[in-house]
């Protein structure tokens, strides 16, 4: 955990995010029918999901560590990674809905990708409800860890597998609407999108580490009192 106290990656996160904000609004983008300038939202919508995934992958890692060693710190790290992942999950949904309004005509069109994302979101809401419903600490930590480990692959299937098997307005669906990487993610977009992935993912880790350290302080105060 010494990594979270180092400074270089936090500076890198800030630099990459500011670069994304500036370049995402100023650099040239492909001129595509329907999308037009809204394609710039790709620099923000998709990186929100990448940041969410980074936080949730870490949460699974710490859940496994907790089950293996029973350390309270691992349980706290896992839940704070989930809490952070949910923040970026909401941002991903909001940016996606705004984009859908300008390209599909409405914020929510019951597209398979949107519906699957909503179900996966409720899956992790249930995780947070489960934690708050169990008073005994070790039992809560163990059950939460097991739930979290199984929830993650289900979320992956809901977000990235099932929508590709059905007709969808969203890129990458089975109905012939190709993903961006197949036709228009040119070099001008890659030099912004890839740094955005790294920058927002690092920010997610940064937020999770701050929440984790706050939780540790709160627990120590509780033990003292």
């Amino acid at each position: 955990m010494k990594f979270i106290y180092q400074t270089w990656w936090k500076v890198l996160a800030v630099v990459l995010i500011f670069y994304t904000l500036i370049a995402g609004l100023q650099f040239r983008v492909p001129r595509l029918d329907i999308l037009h300038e809204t394609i710039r939202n790709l620099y923000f919508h998709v990186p929100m999901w990448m940041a969410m995934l980074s936080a949730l992958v870490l949460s699974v890692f710490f859940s496994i560590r907790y089950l293996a060693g029973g350390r309270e710190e691992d349980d706290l790290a896992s839940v704070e990674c989930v809490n952070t992942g949910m923040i970026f999950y909401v941002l991903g949904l909001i940016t996606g809905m705004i984009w859908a309004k300008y390209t599909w005509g409405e914020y929510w069109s019951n597209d398979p990708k949107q519906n699957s994302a909503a179900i996966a979101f409720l899956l992790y809401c249930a995780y947070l409800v489960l934690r708050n419903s169990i008073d005994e600490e070790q039992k809560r930590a163990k059950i939460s860890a097991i739930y979290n480990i199984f929830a993650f692959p289900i979320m992956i299937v809901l977000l990235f597998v099932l929508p590709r098997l059905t007709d969808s307005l969203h890129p990458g669906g089975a109905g012939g609407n190709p993903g961006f990487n197949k036709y228009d993610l040119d070099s001008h977009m890659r030099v912004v999108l890839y740094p955005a992935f790294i920058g927002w993912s690092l920010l997610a880790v940064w937020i999770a580490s701050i929440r984790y350290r706050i939780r540790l302080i709160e627990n120590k105060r509780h033990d003292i009192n």
Side-chain angles (χ1 to χ4, degrees):
M1 299 295 290
K2 293 182 179 179
F3 173 77
I4 66 174
Y5 299 102
Q6 297 177 0
T7 304
W8 66 268
W9 62 274
K10 300 171 186 176
V11 174
L12 178 62
V14 172
V15 170
L16 290 178
I17 289 174
F18 271 101
Y19 165 75
T20 300
L21 294 173
I22 296 172
L25 297 175
Q26 297 296 325
F27 282 18
R28 184 179 68 82
V29 294
R31 301 297 178 182
L32 301 175
D33 294 337
I34 301 177
L35 292 176
H36 304 295
E37 287 293 318
T38 68
I39 197 174
R40 295 184 186 277
N41 195 30
L42 183 72
Y43 300 138
F44 306 98
H45 172 57
V46 180
M48 293 302 110
W49 293 116
M50 185 63 67
M52 176 269 291
L53 285 173
S54 299
L56 294 184
V57 166
L58 284 175
S59 76
V60 172
F61 169 76
F62 285 114
S63 290
I64 294 173
R65 278 189 51 166
Y66 175 79
L67 293 177
R71 296 176 66 252
E72 182 185 18
E73 291 82 1
D74 290 329
D75 174 57
L76 296 178
S78 177
V79 69
E80 293 307 334
C81 285
V82 171
N83 286 332
T84 304
M86 293 293 281
I87 294 172
F88 285 94
Y89 205 126
V90 171
L91 291 175
L93 288 174
I94 292 174
T95 54
M97 290 171 63
I98 293 173
W99 201 358
K101 174 64 175 178
Y102 284 96
T103 55
W104 301 344
E106 51 188 350
Y107 292 108
W108 199 272
S109 58
N110 287 322
D111 182 79
K113 186 84 169 185
Q114 289 180 320
N115 292 337
S116 294
I119 295 172
F121 180 75
L122 294 177
L123 184 70
Y124 274 95
C125 287
Y127 165 86
L128 299 176
V129 172
L130 176 65
R131 281 194 66 91
N132 292 327
S133 65
I134 303 174
D135 295 327
E136 203 278 308
E137 292 182 2
Q138 292 185 348
K139 181 180 179 181
R140 177 179 62 214
K142 185 174 182 179
I143 293 177
S144 299
I146 294 172
Y147 183 101
N148 188 35
I149 292 171
F150 282 96
F152 184 79
I154 295 174
M155 182 268 293
I156 293 297
V157 171
L158 286 170
L159 289 184
F160 302 108
V161 179
L162 291 182
R164 293 180 177 273
L165 302 179
T166 59
D167 291 342
S168 174
L169 293 170
H170 200 278
N177 191 7
F180 280 108
N181 61 329
K182 291 184 179 180
Y183 66 98
D184 57 14
L185 190 56
D186 61 16
S187 58
H188 293 87
M189 297 196 71
R190 294 178 195 275
V191 298
V192 180
L193 184 61
Y194 294 163
F197 286 159
I198 299 173
W200 289 104
S201 295
L202 288 176
L203 180 63
V205 176
W206 191 357
I207 294 174
S209 68
I210 293 173
R211 295 181 62 96
Y212 165 72
R213 292 160 69 180
I214 292 174
R215 183 66 73 92
L216 283 179
I217 294 173
E218 291 176 347
N219 277 22
K220 289 180 180 179
R221 286 181 177 177
H222 181 268
D223 292 339
I224 292 174
N225 295 332

